[in-house]
Structures are given as structure tokens and as C-alpha cells.
Amino acid sequence: MTRAARLSVAPMMDWTDRHCRYLHRTLSGRALLYTEMVTAPALVRGHALHLLDHSADEHPVALQLGGSDPKELAQAARLGFEAGYQEINLNVGCPSDRVQSGTFGAVLMKDPGLVAECCSAMIAAQPLEVTVKCRIGVDDQEPQDVLPEFLARVAAAGVGRFIIHARKAWLQGLSPKENRDIPPLDYDLVQQMRGLFPALHLSVNGGITTLDEAEAFLDAGLDGVMVGRAAYHQPTDVLAEADRRIFGDRGPDATAEGAVRAMLPYIEAHLVSGGRLNQITRHMLGLFAGRPGARGWRRMLSEGAHHPGAGPELLEQALGEIELASRAATV
């Protein structure tokens, strides 16, 4: 998993579900994928084990958990291992009110001792690697002081890999969306942690939108790069060349057209099982971002995929429009 973590796609609520991850896997066979955050109480107390549903075709894939009770997180981590995930990640970065009310997410940056206790319990409960995704600090904390102490204490509990979102989180006064954009990015601080903790595997997250940027961070000595919204909205741009450029694989790069073709059997199976087309195609809207015909592709899927009886033929039709637009653009 350490190798796969050279490039990963961030866990994103309401976005990185199993259909999204399957799509991303058609574009990159090597990048590490993450689930949406799944709360430990939902698994342990709510018995919502359907939240762990995924396909082995998504691997390598990590389960991100949210919680703050060591015993509960240990049970949830065990369930994740039994469900076939390959890494367990603890969320110490989400700033939403819903997360704060459960005393987990970014608010845990204020209690590194509790995070260490949670991680120790998760490590003891199952054999998978336990990792942590965190911020550089919250509210009025000084990141230069807080982040090194946080990493040191949690690493002492047995965590060897961290993904650091290079922004503070403001738990009061900013919405979750604003927390992704307004607090300034401090990549230099993350680079400093690379020097302070040479034994740790450190990935940087926040504001990274291209493979060029990812390569620059790797060249500068960071161990990994996690891409968020750009990987969702422009998945082909971020993932189609990743296996060659980030992982050194030989062979042709993936294409958006190839991804659509690869998704068709998956879509057929989903529809046969009672699913709806738009549950999958909502993740495919950005496949052709920046290309001729992209607007028509989005419009056809957005308007047609929710209709009863909509199936793979809609994607075939939309793909035909892309091909026509591409030919027209070259005339």
C-alpha cells in the first residue's frame, strides 16, 4: 500500500462511493482509492454493514473511519478487515458540524493523546495498516507547534503513514466548503515535517489539481500526493496517465472512451440487480472535461439517466456525440 500511496484519491462524502471508485479504477490500476468516511457508530451500533460493500476490482482501496471511541473504532476496523479492505484510515480532518457533534474529525487535532489511543486500539484489533488523515491544526492553534507534536504522539502509537491536508480547519465560522478553500495552504510546513520525521510516510493533500503538481511534490521528497475534487471533476486528466507518470508502468495510457466502454458491463450488472443508471453516471459527468462535446455529454447524462428504463444505450448515444464533436473539431 505504501507504493500505491504515491498517488491517492481523497475520501469525499457523497462522492467516492463504490461506483465512483470503480470508475476511477478503469482509469488507473495503481492509484490508492478511499471510501467515503464511514462512522464507527454506524457500523458497530447501527449494524450498517452495507456501508462496507465494495468490489475486489476496486483494490487497492482503503476504508476511512470516523469516530473517537477507541473500543468502537477497534471493532469497526476489525469489520473493515473482514470486509476485505486493505488499509484502515482514521479521519482527523473533517470540519463539518455533524462530525464535530460526534467528537471526531478535525476537532481531534486538539487531543492527540486520544487519537493515539484510538489508533493503538485499531492496530491491535486487526492486521491491516492504520493510517491517519489530518489537518495542520484547527482554530487558533499554531500549526508549527501543533503538527509536530501531533505526528510524534500518534506515530508513537504505531502509525507510520499520514496524509496531511495542508490547511487549518476553522471549526466555528467557516462551512465545510469554505474550509476547503479559505484557510491558506502551507505546503512548506508539510515539507518541514518530511525533514523532522524521516521514518514516516507523509502524503500532502489540499489544492492539488494536476499530475504536474503531484510530480513536483514527489520530486521534492514527499512520499505521496492525495488529490481531491480535481480527481472527481476531471478524472481523466488526473488518473488516465497516472500509472505511467507516477508509478512508472509501461503501456498505453487510459482514455475516457475506454473508461466508458469498461463501465458498460458494470452498469448492466447494476441495473439487473435493481439499481438505477444515474447512481453511476453522476460520477461520469467529468470524464470528457475540456474536450469537444463535453457539455453535450454532461447534458445527455444529466437529463436522461434518471428516467425509468434508462440503460447503457444512453452512454452509447452520448459517446457518439463526443466522437462527432471530436471529428468536427479536427476539420
Side-chain angles (χ1 to χ4, degrees):
M1 296 294 281
T2 298
R3 178 70 176 169
R6 281 178 60 81
L7 182 72
S8 58
V9 177
M12 292 176 279
M13 291 298 292
D14 299 322
W15 287 2
T16 52
D17 64 15
R18 59 192 176 95
H19 305 310
C20 175
R21 298 192 302 269
Y22 194 95
L23 171 67
H24 286 175
R25 190 55 73 216
T26 68
L27 293 167
S28 170
R30 300 292 297 276
L32 176 57
L33 305 181
Y34 282 78
T35 68
E36 303 169 87
M37 182 184 66
V38 178
T39 69
L43 295 176
V44 176
R45 284 182 255 157
H47 306 292
L49 298 185
H50 67 278
L51 297 174
L52 299 177
D53 289 347
H54 73 290
S55 165
D57 293 332
E58 300 167 28
H59 290 184
V61 61
L63 170 66
Q64 187 184 68
L65 293 175
S68 60
D69 180 271
K71 291 183 179 180
E72 201 163 55
L73 279 165
Q75 291 178 264
R78 182 73 187 180
L79 291 171
F81 162 67
E82 292 172 350
Y85 287 94
Q86 296 163 292
E87 172 193 327
I88 306 296
N89 178 264
L90 179 63
N91 183 319
V92 190
C94 182
S96 76
D97 293 339
R98 182 174 59 175
V99 169
Q100 289 181 57
S101 67
T103 320
F104 55 89
V107 71
L108 285 175
M109 291 295 300
K110 296 182 177 181
D111 196 346
L114 177 57
V115 176
E117 186 180 353
C118 289
C119 291
S120 179
M122 295 161 72
I123 291 168
Q126 49 78 48
L128 299 178
E129 182 179 15
V130 172
T131 66
V132 169
K133 186 174 187 292
C134 65
R135 293 277 183 146
I136 60 173
V138 295
D139 297 339
D140 293 321
Q141 289 181 330
E142 289 294 336
Q144 294 85 352
D145 300 326
V146 168
L147 186 58
E149 178 189 359
F150 178 88
L151 294 177
R153 295 192 65 178
V154 179
V159 175
R161 181 148 56 89
F162 293 82
I163 304 102
I164 304 173
H165 187 150
R167 303 181 198 268
K168 287 176 69 172
W170 288 94
L171 303 180
Q172 302 295 330
L174 292 182
S175 69
K177 181 180 184 301
E178 291 170 329
N179 263 299
R180 294 193 294 267
D181 296 305
I182 293 177
L185 287 157
D186 192 345
Y187 295 133
D188 288 343
L189 181 61
V190 181
Q191 291 280 12
Q192 291 171 27
M193 297 304 103
R194 170 72 282 150
L196 286 176
F197 299 95
L200 296 180
H201 184 290
L202 300 181
S203 293
V204 63
N205 170 234
I208 301 160
T209 61
T210 68
L211 276 187
D212 288 343
E213 293 171 346
E215 286 180 312
F217 280 113
L218 294 171
D219 291 343
L222 284 169
D223 301 296
V225 178
M226 176 178 277
V227 183
R229 286 168 287 168
Y232 187 84
H233 292 302
Q234 297 98 36
T236 308
D237 291 345
V238 173
L239 295 172
E241 299 178 3
D243 289 3
R244 173 176 55 85
R245 293 175 58 180
I246 303 297
F247 298 97
D249 286 0
R250 297 181 179 181
D253 294 330
T255 66
E257 289 87 350
V260 174
R261 299 290 182 196
M263 290 297 294
L264 294 179
Y266 180 83
I267 288 170
E268 288 273 16
H270 179 65
L271 296 176
V272 167
S273 70
R276 301 188 306 276
L277 181 62
N278 64 342
Q279 292 172 319
I280 297 175
T281 55
R282 71 185 185 97
H283 302 301
M284 302 175 68
L285 300 180
L287 270 175
F288 296 93
R291 285 185 47 182
R295 183 177 299 177
W297 166 267
R298 292 193 303 269
R299 184 183 67 252
M300 291 184 71
L301 294 192
S302 298
E303 294 177 357
H306 67 279
H307 290 162
E313 67 282 350
L314 178 66
L315 283 91
E316 298 275 12
Q317 182 182 357
L319 194 57
E321 294 296 319
I322 287 286
E323 293 168 352
L324 285 174
S326 296
R327 286 199 293 269
T330 60
V331 173

